[in-house]
Amino acid sequence: MVEPAVALFGEAYEKAARVLEELLRESGARYTLLLDRKGFVLVHKEALWAPKPPALDSLATLIAGNAAATQALARMLGEPRFNELLHQGSTHGLYVEEVGELALLVIVFDSSAPVGRVKLYGKRAAQALEGITQEAVVSPGTLGIDSEYREGASALLDELFGN
Amino acid sequence: MSTINFAAREINFKIVYYGPGMSGKTTNLKWVFQQIPQNRKGEMVSLATEDERTLFFDFLPVDLGEVKGFKTRFHLYTVPGQVFYNASRKLILRGVDGIVFVADSAPNRLRANAESMRNLRENLAEYGIKLEDIPIVLQANKRDTPDALPVEMIQAVIDPEKRFPIFEAVATTGMGVFETLKAVSREVLSRVASS
Ligand SMILES: Nc1nc2c(ncn2[C@@H]2O[C@H](COP(=O)(O)OP(=O)(O)OP(=O)(O)O)[C@@H](O)[C@H]2O)c(=O)[nH]1
Ligand SMILES: [Mg+2]
């Protein structure tokens, strides 16, 4: 892993999950996700009333790609960054806020949630999440990945891709 | 898509298929997508032009399963090989853990293979990564081309020092596709375990 990885589990995971739950409640949004910049989902929450979300892996990848392209555009125009990303259709909206250097907060909402409210609580949540993700930055070596892990994974590779 | 238990520990790896335009990167991913059982893969996302050239990336998540309490996943990406899409190519390399370089065995693509490898080295350098810092596996694809060049000749232009393993492939029929992916996955895993 070339970049520092954010590994959210245990208490950090619980904390981040609580921030997302509160964000859903306060903003009235449907879904919210915390992603790393590579497009991996770290935590996600869905409102109880919301319909089943689309494939989160795909959503996360497209948003991370989109955010990376947007930042590249900003730099080309001489801006250090564009602060937020907002897409709005007739019924659905998507709001993305940076969470420090390493993560992205995504909020999917519909017309029942005013965009102003989504942005307000989104920015607040992003701030709370920044500290949590910073504390969760680890080098993979400290995760307890060892040669036993490697052998186990290797066996699974054989199972999936054949010998 | 399977539901994901985020309370469990997860390890995610990003593997990028690189190489010149039309060398068969997307075809590799399509084959993997077709062959892997439903419960081990997510949706395949392709951002392509109307004539099926990759515009931004292809994406396929593959679930390896659980190892020592770690849910282990590979995210496979392809880059757009066409020269003028370099800005997008660079973005896809962000956070890469392993690379499959798909070379084209056709004689008239020899130079394109070499240029793509040089481009890879330059783009990685922008992230402060050297070629030897990261697991790389080479694939000589399109071995079914009637006038396919000898593998040694392809290797001589993309990896003259023979630093990386090379696999022969015909991505359209799946020959060599899993072997290549398995090799890069293994190297990626071994780097993590030893770091
Ligand atoms: N004969 C033959 N054709 C192949 C093989 N692999 C891929 N092709 C064909 O080559 C063409 C290009 O393949 P793609 O997989 O789209 O190439 P790509 O590397 O993704 O190209 P870009 O997206 O432009 O970078 C398609 O028509 C494939 O069917 C192979 O092993 N043998
Ligand atoms: Mg392609």
Side-chain angles (χ1 to χ4, degrees):
Chain A
M1 289 188 195
V2 184
E3 286 190 27
V6 181
L8 272 191
F9 52 86
E11 203 188 327
Y13 170 87
E14 298 298 338
K15 265 199 231 165
R18 277 199 298 276
V19 172
L20 294 192
E21 264 166 11
E22 207 174 299
L23 171 60
L24 279 185
R25 209 170 43 242
E26 288 172 331
S27 65
R30 280 189 177 187
Y31 322 118
T32 173
L33 303 89
L34 182 67
L35 319 177
D36 71 9
R37 297 282 182 144
K38 302 192 211 179
F40 291 110
V41 181
L42 299 171
V43 198
H44 67 101
K45 286 285 166 195
E46 290 82 43
L48 287 173
W49 52 268
K52 195 175 171 304
L56 295 183
D57 271 352
S58 310
L59 197 72
T61 303
L62 290 170
I63 286 166
N66 199 7
T70 304
Q71 293 316 337
L73 286 169
R75 282 193 300 275
M76 288 177 87
L77 299 177
E79 282 286 335
R81 56 175 21 89
F82 289 142
N83 288 328
E84 50 179 44
L85 215 79
L86 178 67
H87 296 297
Q88 258 187 305
S90 52
T91 43
H92 297 93
L94 180 71
Y95 179 71
V96 182
E97 179 77 38
E98 298 193 314
V99 179
E101 292 291 313
L102 291 174
L104 296 168
L105 172 66
V106 181
I107 307 174
V108 180
F109 57 99
D110 60 32
S111 44
S112 68
V115 63
R117 188 154 26 127
V118 169
K119 282 168 104 170
L120 174 70
Y121 289 106
K123 284 192 199 304
R124 245 180 235 179
Q127 270 172 13
L129 290 166
E130 186 165 351
I132 299 171
T133 50
Q134 259 159 18
E135 282 164 29
V137 173
V138 293
S139 76
T142 62
L143 280 173
I145 305 174
D146 51 19
S147 55
E148 197 187 324
Y149 169 83
R150 186 173 61 210
E151 280 153 28
S154 203
L156 287 179
L157 281 176
D158 285 335
E159 182 205 313
L160 192 56
F161 301 133
N163 276 306
Chain B
M1 203 194 78
S2 53
T3 44
I4 299 164
N5 177 8
F6 283 89
R9 295 180 175 205
E10 272 188 36
I11 299 185
N12 300 311
F13 299 104
K14 178 170 178 176
I15 293 177
V16 175
Y17 284 70
Y18 212 92
M22 296 285 261
S23 67
K25 301 176 290 297
T26 298
T27 311
N28 264 271
L29 239 64
K30 280 184 180 161
W31 177 266
V32 174
F33 180 72
Q34 282 164 14
Q35 297 301 313
I36 284 194
Q38 199 63 42
N39 60 346
R40 307 295 282 277
K41 68 185 176 197
E43 285 176 10
M44 180 163 166
V45 175
S46 289
L47 303 183
T49 60
E50 211 129 288
D51 54 352
E52 301 213 339
R53 307 295 302 269
T54 303
L55 180 60
F56 196 176
F57 57 79
D58 300 297
F59 164 70
L60 174 64
V62 173
D63 251 311
L64 191 59
E66 197 167 306
V67 189
K68 275 194 73 190
F70 289 99
K71 194 174 157 71
T72 302
R73 281 191 305 178
F74 288 89
H75 278 187
L76 312 183
Y77 285 82
T78 75
V79 299
Q82 293 181 84
V83 175
F84 56 88
Y85 288 138
N86 195 46
S88 319
R89 222 168 12 248
K90 216 179 291 176
L91 295 178
I92 305 306
L93 283 176
R94 176 168 189 170
V96 63
D97 296 302
I99 290 171
V100 173
F101 186 93
V102 182
D104 194 323
S105 299
N108 62 355
R109 299 300 285 162
L110 190 60
R111 188 144 160 213
N113 293 330
E115 276 163 10
S116 176
M117 182 55 92
R118 189 170 35 152
N119 172 258
L120 171 62
R121 194 184 315 124
E122 288 166 2
N123 282 341
L124 284 175
E126 293 209 14
Y127 290 101
I129 307 168
K130 292 202 236 21
L131 275 183
E132 52 273 19
D133 291 342
I134 190 162
I136 297 182
V137 169
L138 310 175
Q139 182 186 78
N141 189 35
K142 302 201 181 180
R143 296 310 297 160
D144 60 332
T145 315
D147 50 355
L149 292 173
V151 176
E152 299 71 39
M153 194 182 285
I154 297 167
Q155 194 175 22
V157 303
I158 57 176
D159 179 26
E161 289 150 32
K162 298 195 167 76
R163 286 181 292 185
F164 312 119
I166 186 161
F167 294 85
E168 298 191 39
V170 181
T172 36
T173 66
M175 182 203 124
V177 170
F178 275 176
E179 287 83 345
T180 311
L181 177 54
K182 205 161 90 166
V184 75
S185 306
R186 249 204 194 117
E187 287 208 32
V188 166
L189 287 166
S190 68
R191 296 276 172 116
V192 173
S194 60
S195 64

